[in-house]
Amino acid sequence: MALSLAAILPVIYGLKSLARNGWTVSSGVAIVAGLAFAVVFVARHGRLAHPLLDLGLFRSRTFTVALGTMLLGGIVMAGVSLMSTLHLQVVSALSPMGAGLWILPVNIGLIAGSLSGPVFAKRFRVSTVVAAGLGVGAFGLLLQSQASASGGLGLVVSVLVLASFGIALPMALTMNLILGATPPEKAGAAASLQETGGEFGVALGVAAMGTLIYRGELSGTTVPDTARESLTAAVIFAGLAVTVAIVLGGAERSTEPVADVPELV
């Protein structure tokens, strides 16, 4: 646990330091130190009989891709949400309360996607649903990249709802994929990694995107570059969709176990 904290906290500190002071010796040393502790953590847990993090779980393609999807999805959506709320306040000149109210429909998209994922997975392959959801998220973010620098309030909110619906489709299925690719005796460790992966992704997304925004777009009189950041996020989601279609699709056609989708109550 100490090694995990020594790996994570310096990296986050270094990223946030970049937002304040740019590249400095302290921020660079913090990031390098965190990465070095991460290497030590991985090396040590590869030798332990009862490790805190069972690296053997990552031998499963399904497990690794599903967990990676959860992590990267959290990073991208947390960053996009931060960027979008700042866009509403800085570009559309809304108050914090007004921006928060405009973002509320995003929750409807998340709920609809979470409920729809298991339904679609009963009719199509899980890999198809996950890849399609990521594709929808990429398309929504691509549309958001067309938001005008002088406004685009309706476009920003509506496509954010669409992107949230898309990313909620795979997020509703990743736990089943992860547990289905895990031996029963390691189900607790796998579930912990899934939960931690999502939360860690959100933390990294806010740290990384916050650094980019506050160091670049919000310096002086400039505004958040919604188009550029949304386009980057769309490319990441598109890449994830292709990876999922190839890897999980191959796993479903092979002998590697893939979890059944439970009935929607």
Side-chain angles (χ1 to χ4, degrees):
M1 292 178 66
L3 278 176
S4 69
L5 291 175
I8 294 170
L9 295 181
V11 173
I12 300 297
Y13 170 80
L15 288 175
K16 301 308 291 182
S17 295
L18 290 177
R20 294 192 300 269
N21 308 312
W23 280 104
T24 62
V25 174
S26 61
S27 62
V29 168
I31 293 174
V32 171
L35 295 177
F37 277 115
V39 172
V40 175
F41 177 90
V42 171
R44 182 170 185 271
H45 282 69
R47 298 191 304 267
L48 293 177
H50 303 287
L52 177 68
L53 174 61
D54 189 351
L55 299 178
L57 294 173
F58 291 93
R59 296 191 185 100
S60 167
R61 293 178 299 168
T62 299
F63 177 90
T64 302
V65 171
L67 187 63
T69 299
M70 176 68 71
L71 176 64
L72 288 176
I75 292 174
V76 172
M77 288 309 295
V80 167
S81 297
L82 173 62
M83 175 192 66
S84 298
T85 53
L86 286 174
H87 182 95
L88 294 180
Q89 294 180 64
V90 177
V91 179
S92 300
L94 295 178
S95 66
M97 175 64 74
L101 292 175
W102 271 99
I103 290 295
L104 279 178
V106 172
N107 296 296
I108 299 176
L110 290 171
I111 294 172
S114 298
L115 295 177
S116 301
V119 175
F120 290 142
K122 289 295 181 181
R123 301 190 178 189
F124 308 98
R125 286 181 173 180
V126 174
S127 60
T128 301
V129 178
V130 173
L134 292 169
V136 171
F139 179 69
L141 293 172
L142 181 63
L143 292 178
Q144 191 180 44
S145 69
Q146 304 305 308
S148 170
S150 60
L153 174 61
L155 178 61
V156 170
V157 174
S158 60
V159 298
L160 189 59
V161 172
L162 178 63
S164 299
F165 172 83
I167 192 60
L169 289 175
M171 294 307 168
L173 302 173
T174 48
M175 176 60 84
N176 286 45
L177 291 171
I178 288 172
L179 292 181
T182 303
E185 66 274 13
K186 297 181 179 180
S192 298
L193 280 173
Q194 187 267 351
E195 182 66 22
T196 303
E199 297 298 332
F200 187 46
V202 171
L204 281 178
V206 172
M209 189 64 74
T211 296
L212 292 174
I213 291 175
Y214 282 100
R215 188 61 190 171
E217 286 81 7
L218 292 185
S219 59
T221 59
T222 57
V223 297
D225 192 348
T226 304
R228 187 184 68 183
E229 309 303 348
S230 295
L231 186 59
T232 301
V235 171
I236 294 175
F237 271 175
L240 271 178
V242 173
T243 302
V244 165
I246 294 174
V247 177
L248 292 188
E252 287 180 314
R253 291 189 293 269
S254 69
T255 57
E256 184 171 330
V258 177
D260 291 331
V261 178
E263 293 292 342
L264 183 64
V265 177

